[in-house]
Amino acid sequence: MSLTLHFHPLASFCWKPLIAFYENGTPFRPVIVDLGDEQSRAAFLKVSPTGKMPALRDDARDRTVLESTIVIEYLTAYYPGPVELVPADIDLAIKVRQADRFYDFYVQHPMQKIVGDRLRPKEQTDPFGVEEARAQLRNSYAIIEDEMAGRTWAAGESFTMADCAASPALFYANKVEPFGDKFPAVKRYHDRLLARPSFARVIEEAGPYFKFFPYNNG
């Protein structure tokens, strides 16, 4: 099999390419990385020297592709399927890429700040930084609320790479800064994502690892 994806089932940025693979039924070999295991870590560092996941290895083309967005772009270019995750139309593609960056930078990153703080020793936490992250999430929810009032998916009426980004971002953000009743359009969009078979499969496969997520540690 040409494609090998190195990832961890709990990592939010790894969910993005997994959704893309499942959307188009693209065959690949999954390799779960355990950075706490010396052998697994050493093997992965040969693929991704930065130690960052996900990493895609394409033996047929002798290429290693890093970063979740670039992995999806690569799949779209060289292993396309029936779901056009990055539109061929340049204006639509820019819209999709912009939404992808929004969910990564303004939902995923502040969410990860909150999660990361929960994993710190108590004397080394950053309450000010966490509150900044929460404020960023609430602001992002307000932006999404306005946008999704008239859309089915993140960039319009078709499921795209932007929705691959939004799925893990909103799933985990809702765990640390719940939508509540103030953002009904965000919640409806989140529900549509949860019902998408590709995303439902990713969540199911991550199930055994959710015990490691710090749900209630602060």
Side-chain angles (χ1 to χ4, degrees):
M1 187 172 295
S2 175
L3 299 175
T4 300
L5 183 68
H6 301 260
F7 71 104
H8 190 279
L10 197 61
S12 57
F13 278 108
C14 293
W15 285 13
K16 283 177 58 177
L18 281 172
I19 294 167
F21 272 110
Y22 296 155
E23 277 292 319
N24 280 315
T26 307
F28 72 102
R29 182 172 73 94
V31 174
I32 295 177
V33 178
D34 180 0
L35 294 176
D37 178 85
E38 185 176 344
Q39 185 174 359
S40 178
R41 181 183 181 86
F44 180 60
L45 287 175
K46 292 180 181 178
V47 178
S48 174
T50 64
K52 296 295 184 180
M53 293 179 271
L56 178 68
R57 177 63 189 170
D58 183 353
D59 290 334
R61 304 187 71 251
D62 193 23
R63 291 286 301 275
T64 299
V65 184
L66 307 177
E67 302 294 340
S68 59
T69 296
I70 307 304
V71 169
I72 296 176
E73 294 264 13
Y74 184 85
L75 293 175
T76 300
Y78 294 105
Y79 297 88
V83 181
E84 193 178 46
L85 295 173
V86 181
D89 180 275
I90 188 61
D91 290 328
L92 289 177
I94 289 172
K95 189 175 183 180
V96 166
R97 291 180 175 114
Q98 182 168 304
D100 171 82
R101 298 293 77 211
F102 171 83
Y103 279 101
D104 277 6
F105 290 140
Y106 302 108
V107 183
Q108 287 253 44
H109 282 183
M111 173 275 292
Q112 290 189 328
K113 167 64 180 177
I114 298 170
V115 172
D117 198 74
R118 291 179 177 183
L119 296 172
R120 288 182 172 187
K122 196 168 185 179
E123 66 277 7
Q124 295 180 22
T125 56
D126 178 16
F128 180 80
V130 166
E131 187 47 48
E132 280 190 321
R134 291 189 182 281
Q136 176 67 78
L137 284 178
R138 292 190 293 269
N139 183 65
S140 295
Y141 293 166
I143 293 171
I144 299 166
E145 182 71 19
D146 288 342
E147 289 183 343
M148 295 312 299
R151 298 179 188 172
T152 302
W153 301 111
E157 295 309 301
S158 298
F159 190 96
T160 66
M161 177 173 68
D163 301 288
C164 297
S167 299
L170 291 176
F171 178 88
Y172 280 118
N174 190 42
K175 304 299 182 188
V176 298
E177 182 65 26
F179 307 142
D181 298 326
K182 191 176 178 181
F183 304 106
V186 178
K187 184 181 184 304
R188 289 194 297 270
Y189 174 46
H190 181 243
D191 289 344
R192 287 195 293 276
L193 292 170
L194 292 173
R196 190 82 178 184
S198 59
F199 188 35
R201 179 176 174 180
V202 169
I203 294 173
E204 182 181 3
E205 291 175 348
Y209 299 88
F210 282 139
K211 61 186 177 183
F212 299 114
F213 183 81
Y215 287 99
N216 301 308
N217 291 0

